């Protein structure tokens, strides 16, 4: 059971230190990391490679306002079935040196069940991310990181500059959201401060050009219907599930070009999900963006060969979404604050 009561909301100042909060308010800038599909099922090489450069955003940034204040995980923290035993090697150990709080929504693998463990769906996720108090988890061996105190597996993070609404799209391919959560989502859209933008986080992608994990028509209808009912739409949609980076733009309710981003190259395995030949050829010919089968969405850019993460910067004027592609660990790269591979800016009214 979730530790909180509806509405499921948490304020940023309850999980970050006073100095970081003061910097956000003074600078008028909020920076955070986001990526999903990180659990290194075969090797920790690639999650460690991504985490290393996320840490550089702290250690090598002289300006405190440019340092991320938290990490928003887009689901599939551990593989394959959300086992508590996998939280140490796939979560606590890889982020041993990561200095900021980590919040999350579950992915389908976090909700899957391994009958051999005797654990129920999301049991370990709730224990580690929706704890009633910040304690050292039974799944954590040596890391100083304490459990997160999110009020539920679907929940809203309130910050001074942006409202982040997280959904749980359950386990079926294409995602599935029940009526209780739908009502909660509409309530959160209506209740979000009108003066602040909204970022939506959900594990399964609404749009995807990867054939084995296509975009979800079910979630697309859910999102469109919910926005119509609430008379408000998010300004950005962040997803995972597909193990690569894809950036789409598409209309949503009264907004014409909402970025729909897949950021699922967080370190699951060496091999990423590679898009089909037609997309490779289109990109090689510098003919992106490309329209997907006469649908309204445009594939603006993608990276299916390099792991990486999102660095999101929010000000009163805009939201900047940078995809940071990290070098292959076998190339012995040097520590650095990496430039973005791809970037998009959303101007705010």
């Amino acid at each position: 059971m979730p530790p909180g009561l509806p509405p499921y909301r948490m304020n940023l100042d309850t999980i970050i230190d006073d100095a970081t909060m003061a910097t956000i308010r003074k600078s008028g800038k909020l920076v955070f990391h986001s990526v999903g599909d990180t659990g290194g099922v075969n090797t920790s090489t690639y999650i460690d490679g991504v985490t290393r450069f996320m840490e550089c955003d702290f250690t090598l940034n002289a300006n405190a306002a440019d340092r991320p204040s938290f990490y928003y995980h887009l689901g599939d923290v551990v593989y394959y079935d959300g086992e508590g035993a996998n939280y140490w090697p796939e979560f606590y150990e890889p982020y041993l040196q990561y200095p900021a709080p980590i919040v999350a929504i579950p992915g389908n693998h976090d909700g899957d069940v391994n009958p051999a463990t005797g654990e129920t769906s999301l049991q370990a996720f709730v224990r580690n991310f929706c704890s009633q108090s910040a304690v050292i988890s039974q799944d954590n061996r040596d890391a100083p990181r304490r459990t997160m105190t999110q009020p539920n597996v679907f929940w809203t993070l309130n910050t001074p500059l942006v409202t982040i609404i997280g959904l749980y799209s359950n386990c079926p391919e294409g995602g599935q959201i029940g009526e209780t959560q739908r009502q909660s989502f509409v309530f959160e859209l209506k209740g979000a401060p009108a003066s602040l933008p909204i970022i939506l986080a959900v594990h399964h992608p609404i749009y995807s050009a990867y054939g084995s994990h296509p975009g979800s028509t079910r979630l697309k209808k859910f999102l469109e219907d919910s926005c119509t009912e609430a008379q408000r739409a998010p300004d950005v949609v962040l997803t995972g599930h597909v193990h690569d980076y894809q950036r789409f733009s598409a209309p949503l309710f009264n907004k014409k070009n909402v970025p729909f981003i897949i950021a699922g190259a967080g370190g699951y395995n060496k091999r990423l999900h590679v898009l089909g030949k037609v997309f490779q050829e289109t990109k090689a010919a510098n003919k992106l963006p490309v329209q997907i089968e006469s649908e309204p969405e445009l594939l603006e850019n993608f990276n299916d060969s390099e792991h990486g993460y999102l660095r999101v910067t929010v000000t009163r004027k805009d939201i900047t979404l940078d995809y940071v592609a990290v070098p292959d660990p076998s190339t012995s790269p040097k520590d650095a604050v990496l430039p973005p591979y791809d970037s998009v800016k959303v101007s705010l009214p």
Side-chain angles (χ1 to χ4, degrees):
M1 294 293 292
L5 296 173
Y8 300 113
R9 297 170 181 168
M10 185 168 71
N11 294 331
L12 182 62
D13 61 7
T14 65
I15 61 170
I16 66 173
D17 61 84
D18 293 342
T20 301
M21 200 69 197
T23 298
I24 293 169
R25 295 188 186 280
K26 183 178 180 180
S27 66
K29 179 192 289 187
L30 170 69
V31 182
F32 67 93
H33 286 142
S34 190
V35 72
D37 306 272
T38 59
V41 65
N42 293 321
T43 172
S44 64
T45 300
Y46 298 96
I47 184 176
D48 290 343
V50 172
T51 305
R52 172 186 172 187
F53 287 97
M54 292 170 68
E55 291 168 359
C56 288
D57 287 343
F58 294 91
T59 58
L60 301 182
N61 251 323
N63 185 359
D66 292 328
R67 297 172 197 151
S69 56
F70 63 94
Y71 166 16
Y72 198 112
H73 197 293
L74 297 173
D76 283 359
V77 181
V78 301
Y79 289 83
Y80 289 106
D81 300 303
E83 298 95 339
N86 289 341
Y87 267 81
W88 168 252
E90 297 185 23
F91 177 69
Y92 286 106
E93 187 175 30
Y95 296 111
L96 187 65
Q97 303 299 325
Y98 187 81
I102 302 175
V103 297
I105 51 170
N108 56 295
H109 285 282
D110 300 312
D112 282 337
V113 174
N114 180 352
T117 66
E119 296 176 317
T120 56
S121 179
L122 292 178
Q123 182 175 340
F125 183 93
V126 168
R127 184 167 62 239
N128 288 282
F129 285 102
C130 305
S131 176
Q132 291 188 358
S133 58
V135 298
I136 298 296
S137 170
Q138 67 185 59
D139 305 316
N140 178 3
R141 296 181 193 171
D142 301 310
R145 183 174 302 282
R146 292 178 177 267
T147 54
M148 185 46 63
T149 53
Q150 297 168 196
N152 204 343
V153 299
F154 57 93
W155 62 290
T156 297
L157 179 63
N158 291 315
T159 86
L161 293 170
V162 64
T163 302
I164 306 176
I165 302 175
L167 296 177
Y168 173 44
S169 51
N170 289 278
C171 301
E173 186 61 37
Q176 183 174 311
I177 294 177
E179 179 61 18
T180 298
Q181 190 178 175
R182 188 199 69 79
Q183 292 179 10
S184 174
F185 177 49
V186 171
F187 184 82
E188 293 302 302
L189 285 175
K190 289 181 176 180
S195 61
L196 300 182
I198 296 173
I199 294 176
L200 171 64
V202 58
H203 181 68
H204 289 90
I206 284 77
Y207 301 112
S208 171
Y210 180 64
S212 297
H213 288 328
S216 172
T217 55
R218 187 162 54 236
L219 290 188
K220 180 175 182 287
K221 185 177 188 308
F222 161 85
L223 183 55
E224 291 173 343
D225 290 350
S226 298
C227 291
T228 299
E229 183 175 344
Q231 290 292 289
R232 189 167 183 195
D235 299 88
V236 173
V237 179
L238 303 181
T239 67
H241 192 56
V242 186
H243 301 163
D244 59 22
Y245 168 76
Q246 300 176 52
R247 176 168 63 86
F248 293 85
S249 63
L252 182 60
F253 187 53
N254 60 351
K255 295 180 168 65
K256 292 183 179 179
N257 295 299
V258 173
F260 287 77
I261 292 178
I262 294 173
Y268 162 76
N269 209 347
K270 179 178 182 178
R271 187 178 184 277
L272 296 174
H273 288 155
V274 178
L275 302 194
K277 183 179 179 182
V278 63
F279 297 108
Q280 305 295 339
E281 292 175 345
T282 300
K283 184 178 181 181
N286 293 316
K287 291 184 177 179
L288 292 175
V290 61
Q291 196 165 9
I292 305 298
E293 296 180 354
S294 301
E295 294 294 328
E297 72 269 20
L298 292 174
L299 177 61
E300 302 275 359
N301 206 349
F302 68 91
N303 187 327
D304 56 4
S305 61
E306 296 172 294
H307 293 82
Y309 62 92
L310 290 174
R311 193 165 53 211
V312 183
T313 304
V314 186
T315 69
R316 292 289 181 186
K317 295 182 178 180
D318 49 52
I319 301 174
T320 303
L321 302 121
D322 294 328
Y323 181 67
V324 181
V326 306
D328 190 293
S330 66
T331 63
S332 302
K334 295 181 179 179
D335 286 352
V337 175
L338 297 175
Y341 170 87
D342 182 47
S343 183
V344 63
K345 182 172 289 188
V346 180
S347 297
L348 302 175

